Amino acid sequence: PTLRPTQIADLAFMFANERFLLLHDPGVGKTPPVCVWCEWNVRQNEKVVWVMPKGLMKKNKSELLRFTNLQDHQIRIVDS
């Protein structure tokens, strides 16, 4: 899978800003660039905490596996 131009722009925004929020409407494709950003940070030996509603955890884990080269054992879901 590849990123659309708007997703590439979001990814550039994430790299340019240490702290960020993507506050676009639901369903516009925020997850794929966040996945790429997460993988980049993991490859830099950084820890990533991705806070999300419990109902999105399985979907977003599958997106991480789809849009990155991360392996299942590299992703830990923590819920309370």
Side-chain angles (χ1 to χ4, degrees):
T2 59
L3 298 177
R4 298 187 306 259
T6 56
Q7 293 171 320
I8 292 169
D10 284 344
L11 189 57
F13 175 79
M14 290 184 252
F15 281 116
N17 296 278
E18 185 175 321
R19 295 180 181 168
F20 61 87
L21 292 172
L22 295 179
L23 299 173
H24 307 313
D25 291 332
V28 297
K30 295 180 294 292
T31 303
V34 171
C35 292
V36 173
W37 181 86
C38 286
E39 180 181 24
W40 185 84
N41 279 279
V42 168
R43 301 291 178 220
Q44 301 301 312
N45 292 317
E46 299 288 335
K47 302 287 184 191
V48 176
V49 176
W50 185 2
V51 179
M52 66 192 74
K54 190 172 185 173
L56 293 177
M57 289 181 176
K58 283 185 181 181
K59 178 197 92 60
N60 287 342
K61 181 178 181 180
S62 69
E63 296 271 328
L64 269 170
L65 295 170
R66 180 175 174 225
F67 282 96
T68 69
N69 292 316
L70 294 174
Q71 301 297 312
D72 189 65
H73 70 276
Q74 294 174 292
I75 303 166
R76 181 178 304 156
I77 295 178
V78 179
D79 64 356
S80 55

